[in-house]
Amino acid sequence: MVVDLRSDTVTRPSPAMLEAMASAAVGDDVYGDDPTVNELQAHAASMFNKEAGLFCPSGTMTNQIAIKAHTQPGDELICSDSAHIFIYEGGGIAFNSGVQARCLPGDEGGRIKAAQVESAVNPDDIHLPRTTLVCLENTTNKPGGAIYSLQSMQAIFKVAKANGLRCHLDGARLFNAMVASGHTFPSETPSDRSHQPMANGHAGEGSEQGCSYGPPDVGACFDSISICLSKGLGCPIGSLLLGTHDFIARARRIRKAMGGGMRQAGFLAAAGLYALKHNINRLACDHARAKQLGAALASLDRSRFVTKIKPVTTNIVIFELGEDFDGQVMKEALAARGILVSRFGARLMRFVTHLNTDDHQIAYAIQALREVQDDMMSR
């Protein structure tokens, strides 16, 4: 058995998704006449009460397009010091937009607060860069899948508007955040979810983040939103950028310059439409399975072997080994048992649950963890 817990980007399309892709009506999206792409863009935009959307190959591209569309060279944006746009997008803020980042220290979950944003806005002084943009990430990636509360997002948006700033959301795992907040999508029809039994949990279980929120609530807090289809939603490729008609018109020109124009992209857009209609509520299964992994880690030796486990809110589990143990050794020991994981540092490890991990695989991974602990502690 192989259990791939490296990331939720490793998911594969289900037979039903592949069928939707194979039967898609297509055109040339660069000319704007691919009907399935147009339907996907309109559908996603309407979910968030936005005017328009733009289908792109990746979340990195949608984030970088948004930054460029909102700023001018020499500007400054505000983000968390653990933000994906700052750490994992190849220096794209500087490379693509000529903008610098003011990185604020996040809390344990990587979240920043409205008061921090307000204090980081530069005054109107020719010696200082113009602060023009605030970027949030929900859920947070590197800090472990934490979610922003609706109240926190609203407060940051209020500060941004009062200071003439735009707000962009890196919502690569935004649907995970909404499900974890307790929101359900009542119009969703069961499909892939039917072969993914709920694993000791339900949507929103244990959510201490405040009230639940859905797409319209999030849409009201941001000028632009990036959402990924190729993570927990299970698509093979694709992300969407949402905003006003004027913003998306600018974004389309930037996408072209970045080489992101696609032709018969409807085959890929069909996967996105399928995911948005069938694969959102089932994210609660991934969260429940991540909590099972977290509980299993908590049952290991906490004095020496696993010394820290970040709170498990969604589908990401991050933990730290004791100083006597090497993360690479653990990664290789798990791989020898068919368990694939990511290493975030010398002793920092990450597991991510997703559409293609089931209860049996999680049980197998937990048993492997116990075996690896015994082997490593006996050396």
Side-chain angles (χ1 to χ4, degrees), residues 47-275:
M47 289 178 72
F48 289 86
N49 286 343
K50 293 300 183 187
E51 294 177 357
L54 184 67
F55 184 48
C56 296
S58 71
T60 293
M61 180 174 282
T62 49
N63 283 333
Q64 292 302 316
I65 288 173
I67 292 168
K68 190 165 183 65
H70 284 310
T71 64
Q72 295 294 324
D75 287 355
E76 184 171 82
L77 65 79
I78 295 170
C79 66
S80 166
D81 57 6
S82 61
H84 190 280
I85 61 166
F86 179 69
I87 297 177
Y88 293 125
E89 297 189 5
I93 295 172
F95 187 87
N96 297 307
S97 300
V99 169
Q100 68 183 35
R102 172 74 67 89
C103 295
L104 306 180
D107 63 12
E108 185 181 25
R111 295 160 295 211
I112 58 177
K113 296 179 173 58
Q116 290 176 282
V117 173
E118 188 164 31
S119 66
V121 178
N122 288 327
D124 185 8
D125 184 328
I126 63 170
H127 299 89
L128 304 174
R130 290 188 314 146
T131 308
T132 54
L133 179 63
V134 180
C135 296
L136 301 186
E137 183 182 356
N138 193 20
T139 67
T140 60
N141 177 13
K142 187 176 181 181
I147 75 172
Y148 275 88
S149 69
L150 177 60
Q151 295 88 341
S152 181
M153 291 187 290
Q154 290 171 334
I156 291 172
F157 185 70
K158 182 178 180 181
V159 166
K161 295 300 105 176
N163 288 276
L165 312 182
R166 297 291 186 180
C167 275
H168 171 68
L169 176 63
D170 174 2
R173 296 180 175 88
L174 177 57
F175 288 100
N176 291 88
M178 290 185 286
V179 169
S181 80
H183 184 77
T184 57
F185 292 75
S187 62
E188 184 176 318
T189 55
S191 184
D192 284 354
R193 188 183 180 193
S194 63
H195 68 268
Q196 294 274 346
M198 196 66 70
N200 298 328
H202 58 82
E205 179 185 354
S207 174
E208 67 286 345
Q209 307 298 328
C211 66
S212 66
Y213 54 87
D217 303 308
V218 177
C221 295
F222 296 93
D223 298 291
S224 60
I225 299 172
S226 166
I227 56 174
C228 275
L229 304 169
S230 58
K231 294 185 172 68
L233 296 184
C235 297
I237 190 172
S239 290
L240 286 156
L241 182 60
L242 310 176
T244 64
H245 287 301
D246 288 344
F247 171 80
I248 293 299
R250 294 197 304 277
R252 187 176 293 275
R253 293 186 67 87
I254 297 168
R255 185 189 71 171
K256 178 63 176 176
M258 288 183 173
M262 296 181 286
R263 301 297 180 177
Q264 286 70 42
F267 295 116
L268 301 172
L273 277 168
Y274 180 90

